[in-house]
Amino acid sequence: MPMNAPLDVVRDGAIARLTLNRPDMRNAFDETLIAALTDAVRQAAQDPDVRVLLLTGAGKAFCAGGDLNWMRKMATHTQADNREDASRLADMLHAIWACPKPVVASVNGDAYAGGMGLVAACDIAIAADGAHFCLSETRVGLLPATISPYVIRAMGERAANRYFLTAERFDAATAKSLGLVHDVVPADGLQQAADALCRTLCANGPDAVKASKRLVRDFAGKPIDAALIADTVERIAACRATDEAREGVAAFLEKREPSWRPLS
């Protein structure tokens, strides 16, 4: 990939490493980066050799949200143009959220506005202890519309209500307490922690991981009624009959590694 590409994509075994690559702009996204990230996530989702996606940023920031120069340009366009442009941003976030494979955010620095949307759309997030977070849209007369479904799910309605309205900046420890990130580690240990998490994910049955992610998507917030219980029964019954489940159980009983587990 060209040195000046807005997104650096590297295949590392079963891991697809996606690095936002606009460090001079604090990895703020514009239409080019949005298109590149959307395409990269969709390609990784279809690649049978990819088991996990790892998203991070180049330089000191994770992502500062939307490029203000790009947004200023869009302010001169028609409402129809802005609707189409916003749809591309919404499609990028949904591609991450709906990716059948786990997507891990390695939050190497500040995540502001749309950058928080990226973190929230990922399945698991680990942050460097010096990272800060901010839903800064209201400071510039905007609102966090396209990222709101993911942020509200990640940090809850009550916290989202506060930070959407106030645009307060908060630290990584607060982000963890709100549920936006799962772990906070020293900056110099972030890559090691993210790599270890990816190896953990790769050690599990790939189809089981995808089906488990689907469980959360399908069942979160739903009433535990007869229909949902019946759905759980059907899913585990179908899973038990798969080759992957047979191999996993056999490997456990025979005290050996299952066939899908990496050798190192």
Side-chain angles (χ1 to χ4, degrees), residues 39-205:
D39 183 61
V41 170
R42 288 175 174 165
Q43 286 192 33
Q46 296 299 318
D47 188 335
D49 294 326
V50 170
R51 303 270 291 278
V52 59
L53 290 69
L54 179 61
L55 178 63
T56 193
K60 296 181 178 180
F62 176 73
C63 178
D67 185 326
L68 290 178
N69 291 318
W70 163 59
M71 289 192 286
R72 181 167 59 181
K73 179 184 70 174
M74 291 309 302
T76 67
H77 290 195
T78 66
Q79 185 172 349
D81 290 335
N82 272 282
R83 184 180 298 112
E84 181 179 352
D85 190 72
S87 292
R88 287 192 285 266
L89 174 59
D91 287 345
M92 177 190 73
L93 294 167
H94 189 262
I96 295 170
W97 184 82
C99 180
K101 300 169 184 179
V103 185
V104 176
S106 178
V107 187
N108 57 296
D110 292 350
Y112 281 20
M116 274 191 61
L118 289 178
V119 175
C122 292
D123 298 292
I124 305 172
I126 303 176
D129 53 4
H132 285 84
F133 301 80
C134 183
L135 291 156
S136 56
E137 286 86 350
T138 56
R139 289 184 185 174
V140 293
L142 297 171
L143 72 162
T146 51
I147 69 172
S148 60
Y150 311 99
V151 174
I152 293 169
R153 281 174 170 81
M155 60 193 292
E157 179 182 353
R158 190 68 170 167
N161 195 73
R162 171 178 175 170
Y163 291 106
F164 281 7
L165 274 56
T166 65
E168 294 170 280
R169 182 172 179 259
F170 55 92
D171 61 16
T174 301
K176 181 179 179 182
S177 72
L178 296 173
L180 179 65
V181 303
H182 296 88
D183 291 308
V184 176
V185 300
D188 60 3
L190 179 64
Q191 181 174 335
Q192 182 179 359
D195 288 349
L197 178 57
C198 288
R199 288 194 297 271
T200 296
L201 290 164
C202 289
N204 299 331

